Amino acid sequence: MSAPARLAARQRLWVAETFADTVQGEGPSIGAPAAFIRLSRCNLTCTWCDTPYTWDRSRFDLAAESRRASAEELASWALGRPEELVVISGGEPLLQQRALVPLARMLIEAGRRVEIETNATYPPAAELAASGACFNVSPKLAGSRVPSALRIRPSVLEAFAALPTPRRVFKFVVTGLAELDEVDRLVARHRLRPVWVMPEGTTPEKITHGLRELAEGAATRGYRLGARLHVLLWGDERGR
Ligand SMILES: Nc1nc2[nH]cc(C(=O)O)c2c(=O)[nH]1
Ligand code: SF4
Ligand SMILES: [Mg+2]
């Protein structure tokens, strides 16, 4: 490793948890065995968020819910695992994207695939986009109850849309059939393709019900239906 690379590898990130022995539950790699690095902190406050321990100071002690770890330490944990896919989620991982660059690079150089889950409010830095990581870009809808100006950033959507197709997909958590019209408007306005929609929910029953509700509307629009497979398998279990 060169001296600048060694320095970069020492950059530290706020981490909520690392876990493996699971599958990527969302998006194009659904079903793939995956190791997860969940970063702490988020800039949004979605009502239905299933990881409030990464951001909600009113309910959680974030100092107790997170630790600082270097990019090198996190890469070494993931490279000690057999899973080929490493998913970096949060929280909002792009809040810490400077330190994500060396992490993504180390993983990809070692032959891993990296997917970054993002809420589409921060544009990807050129170095991160060039690292070979793929982005599962998930803009939030009105059902999140986050004010529109905070959750929809047109220039960010356009920056992701400008990346080569295999590097990013757009993914929407939908709380009901009516929200597909809102997805349509965003998709048309910012030319977002390919699109995955998946039902909101933290129980297998709710996901199954949501899938049935969305199936026809998604197919008509040419959207892919995503299950949130980990919820079908393990419900709301943490670390899955
Ligand atoms: N298995 C599993 N797959 C996931 N894909 C995206 C997740 C996320 O929390 O962003 C997630 C998660 O929490 N678990
Ligand atoms: S953007 Fe994601 S992590 Fe942040 S509050 Fe919304 S659902 Fe939770
Ligand atoms: Mg999750």
Side-chain angles (χ1 to χ4, degrees):
M1 215 188 268
S2 65
R6 237 183 347 261
L7 263 182
R10 283 196 204 122
Q11 292 192 60
R12 294 201 300 164
L13 297 109
W14 286 106
V15 182
E17 57 200 1
T18 54
F19 55 93
D21 291 319
T22 184
V23 294
Q24 169 56 300
E26 302 176 9
S29 302
I30 188 165
F36 280 76
I37 297 172
R38 186 182 303 288
L39 300 185
S40 189
R41 314 297 189 258
C42 189
N43 57 318
L44 300 185
T45 55
C46 306
T47 40
W48 45 253
C49 180
D50 61 359
T51 53
Y53 51 89
T54 63
W55 59 268
D56 189 351
R57 291 174 198 277
S58 73
R59 284 188 284 165
F60 297 90
D61 174 1
L62 293 197
E65 292 287 350
S66 59
R67 66 188 170 95
R68 300 261 276 159
S70 68
E72 192 166 37
E73 191 181 332
L74 293 168
S76 143
W77 172 77
L79 295 177
R81 299 282 326 167
E83 291 88 354
E84 192 227 338
L85 174 64
V86 182
V87 181
I88 301 174
S89 188
E92 173 46 51
L94 295 198
L95 285 172
Q96 307 185 62
Q97 62 173 321
R98 262 174 63 101
L100 268 188
V101 175
L103 174 58
R105 281 192 186 143
M106 283 184 272
L107 294 171
I108 289 165
E109 275 164 21
R112 296 301 196 271
R113 289 196 303 121
V114 172
E115 288 184 359
I116 300 175
E117 308 279 339
T118 176
N119 65 21
T121 56
Y122 291 94
E127 298 88 335
L128 190 60
S131 70
C134 294
F135 297 90
N136 294 330
V137 183
S138 186
K140 303 308 171 210
L141 301 175
S144 67
R145 307 233 193 111
V146 175
S148 158
L150 296 182
R151 62 186 162 77
I152 301 298
R153 301 266 171 84
S155 62
V156 176
L157 294 176
E158 275 142 37
F160 279 112
L163 297 180
T165 307
R167 291 260 169 269
R168 83 294 185 274
V169 300
F170 297 91
K171 196 171 71 124
F172 294 87
V173 173
V174 174
T175 56
L177 191 57
E179 276 193 344
L180 286 186
D181 294 338
E182 196 183 337
V183 175
D184 294 345
R185 286 192 293 275
L186 287 168
V187 164
R189 194 170 302 147
H190 306 288
R191 293 192 219 115
L192 312 178
R193 289 279 175 177
V195 172
W196 291 72
V197 291
M198 57 192 181
E200 185 272 322
T202 51
T203 63
E205 295 70 25
K206 196 166 175 207
I207 296 292
T208 307
H209 179 271
L211 286 170
R212 289 187 185 130
E213 186 185 348
L214 296 174
E216 197 186 326
T220 313
R221 292 160 164 91
Y223 299 161
R224 297 168 202 199
L225 191 57
R228 306 192 78 216
L229 184 57
H230 55 299
V231 179
L232 287 179
L233 288 165
W234 299 297
D236 201 18
E237 202 180 305
R238 192 158 158 180
R240 289 292 202 170

